[in-house]
Amino acid sequence: MSVRAYKKHIPMVTVRGLAVIPGMIIHFDIVKEGAINAVERAMVQKGQQIFIVMQKESLAEMPDEVSSEDDVCPVGCICSIRQVLKLPNKTIRILVEGIRRGRLESIETEGACLTGVVKPIICRDTEGYEAVTDPDRVAVIQSFMSTMKEYLRYNPKVEKILSKCKVSDISFAELLDMYAAHLPMTAPDRQKLLEACGENERAVVFMAILENEINILRVRQDLQEQVRERVDKNQKEYILREQLKAIKEELGDGHSLTDEEEYLESISKLKASAEVKERLKKEVDRLGQVSFYSSESGVIRAYIETLLEMPWDKVSRDNKDLNRAERILEEDHYGLKDVKERMLEFLAVRTLAKAGDSPIVCLVGPPGTGKTSIARSVARALGRKYVRISLGGIRDEAEIRGHRKTYVGAMPGRIAMALKNAGVKNPLILLDEIDKTSSDYRGDTASALLEVLDGEQNCRFMDHYIELPIDLSNVLFIATANSASDIPRPLLDRMELIEVSSYTENEKLHIAKEHLIPKQFEKNGIAPGKLAIADKALELIIRGYTREAGVRNLERKIGQIARKAAKEILSGGKKSVKVTAANLEKYLGIPKYEPEKANDEDQVGIVTGLAWTSVGGDTLQIEVNVMPGKGELKLTGQLGDVMKESAQTGVSYIRSISAQHGIKADYFAKHDIHVHIPQGSVPKDGPSAGITMATAIYSAITGVKVKADLAMTGEVTLRGRVLPIGGLKEKTLAAKNAGIKTVLVPLKNKKDISELDEEITRGLKIIYVETMEDVLKYAIADTRKTGRTRKAGS
């Protein structure tokens, strides 16, 4: 409860950033003339009292700017002046003691000083039994003391100050004012306590201020604790290192080198150019100037160690024995004559010239044809270190060139890491699946490989992490790809292309007997003599259980037989197992593939074409039907754009020669032509079926039959010319396996046929055609119609 006294006229001093609490003793300087006059007037009055109130705005610097009670806080403190000191420059310092709160009613100006009309605020606290039994008051006191205790736990310095104050004979309200006077707090917070008159209200405001301070002190203490832990850890490590150093000196091991000395010693032994050594020495000097515990120290150490591990001038000797190298290549792989011959040529040149650029070879062929494994054999034959880099799916340029050292976790690119792992500057590096690289916003991987695979530039290849030129001219690069069309043209131009074609059935049989069977027997624990697979069984596996250009699935089937045989030997008590064509289904089940066979009879509108796939060659039965309609051309069988255009070209050519072959002029306007290629779920594209579709369309329109044992491949033009195509080996193999007797190929592919092994062409009649008239001449089965065709073409 509060009781207000009568108004008093008291000299007034307005201050900025200062609130005085009753019971608070404080001194401050006064420079304003009006305030000095107010002090001098108070000193001559009884009681020497002065009213100190805080300004609301900090902009009022002169006392005459405070003209009304709206410019100052509503509640101030009536103080007693205890001491006045005069200082130079017309400044006085006064020492005042707060007596009681006062509410400013109005401001009067008397001469050069301000006088406040003040009503003293006298707060009367609850006393006696009422003070003890009032539950609300007891709860407020207990809550405040608990909050105060928590605050003092985080700020023990204040506790020492408060311990000197006498609190035994004062009321709770006086205790609050005493705490407010001695605790460090801002002037606005102290003004809030000054304006809170009742003890309960004042306690609640005080607790809110303390809670905010406790939160700040708690966060500050946590931060200080974290800093202290780090400092203590660094000091501990420093002390332990010094103690370890002293112990070593005491034991006579004081001659151990520091990290910088070890690095310098390694640099002196390093086989590298002066440029590399100079760069290493600069980095060691930088390391000596950086704190051991800083993050920069770890970056510099990793960089120095990486440079020291690089094989700058360290080389391995090539094997100069051509006979030994040829023997190793023949032992590991069957066939692949072009690859083996090119490697032996390189070795012969290197032996004679003592130096020279290493070839950059790209092996292109279907999966499973031994492209990756031949590189390992070449490395063994040449006596070189072998490192494989898989490029499939890489789309970040930094994977090739490395990351800048400024990035966290930076490391060299794959090329530099391959040299580091090999330990020599002239290894054989296999760039596997080079056609599977891609690009995104982080860069183009294929473009980054241009410098690597350019023999004129790679002698000074720059890695972003190494930041020193790396000599790649002695590296033997072998790249592999499934399709040359997927390799960017500039990159393809830098490599020597060697095609690895599909294996013939005879080659697969030899590979299985000489390599796959021994490998799978050893892998599955089959001892010699325990399992035998007949040649007829292997031939049946190749034809009926696998359809591929390579031998991966063939190896899986042999492994399946070996596992089942192992089970029979252990559980069935058999001493040995023999697999023949008769009992093959017992181990592998029913054959999955039926060989594509030529038609038994000559038919109208059905022609056998030849196609190239990623797993080898295949035959296509192209069917054409004509029916009354409006002259539409329908194409089905999931054909690509190029193949659709070939069909349209074929129709246009047949229309252009319709008069020569007795086809009515309005035939195409009154009939629809439907071209279909079976196996509709398989996408098909390419121009090589052009002459096949044109022949089938001609047969369906004229009603003449096409030879059943004949297949063809070639691109057709509007004028009936036959253009060359690719994949001839695979296509020829597919024709032979299907029982085809005659194959029509473009005349310009004659050189490709001459390069095929006799094993492939044996039993096939290869006829070279240059125009569609030649194709129709050999394809049409009806002799009467054939004669008319020849007459029309003459």
Side-chain angles (χ1 to χ4, degrees), residues 301-320:
R301 288 175 187 274
Y303 181 63
I304 293 174
E305 291 171 1
T306 300
L307 293 188
L308 289 174
E309 293 174 359
M310 291 294 294
W312 299 104
D313 290 335
K314 185 178 180 181
V315 297
S316 61
R317 291 186 177 181
D318 288 340
N319 168 38
K320 297 182 180 180

Side-chain angles (χ1 to χ4, degrees), residues 505 543 595-597 619 730 732-740 764:
E505 288 188 6
R543 291 197 193 101
E596 295 287 346
K597 293 298 182 182
T619 58
E730 288 79 6
T732 308
L733 274 172
K736 184 175 183 180
N737 294 334
I740 299 295
L764 285 177

Side-chain angles (χ1 to χ4, degrees), residues 636-654:
T636 57
Q638 201 172 161
L639 308 185
D641 292 338
V642 177
M643 209 165 189
K644 291 178 181 178
E645 292 174 358
S646 296
Q648 294 168 357
T649 303
V651 172
S652 297
Y653 170 73
I654 299 301

Side-chain angles (χ1 to χ4, degrees), residues 372 386-396 399-400 413-415 418 429-438 445 449 478-480:
T372 302
Y386 169 78
V387 184
R388 175 179 172 268
I389 299 176
S390 178
L391 298 178
I394 291 180
R395 51 188 176 183
D396 188 358
E399 292 285 344
I400 305 298
R414 296 200 178 196
I415 302 297
I429 296 181
L430 173 66
L431 302 176
D432 208 6
E433 308 292 353
I434 197 171
D435 58 330
K436 306 298 191 301
T437 60
S438 58
T445 309
L449 287 170
I478 295 182
T480 67

Side-chain angles (χ1 to χ4, degrees), residues 29 100 112 138 179 185 398 424 540 548-549 552 638 777 788:
D29 296 343
R100 64 178 57 87
V138 173
Y179 283 162
M185 64 178 64
V424 291
L540 184 55
E548 57 180 344
R552 283 202 180 115
Q638 201 172 161
K777 171 183 175 182
R788 189 174 66 181

Side-chain angles (χ1 to χ4, degrees), residues 742-758:
T742 306
V743 178
L744 303 184
V745 299
L747 179 62
K748 294 182 179 180
N749 283 117
K750 187 174 183 179
K751 60 182 185 303
D752 300 320
I753 295 293
S754 63
E755 294 177 356
L756 299 180
D757 294 337
E758 184 184 352

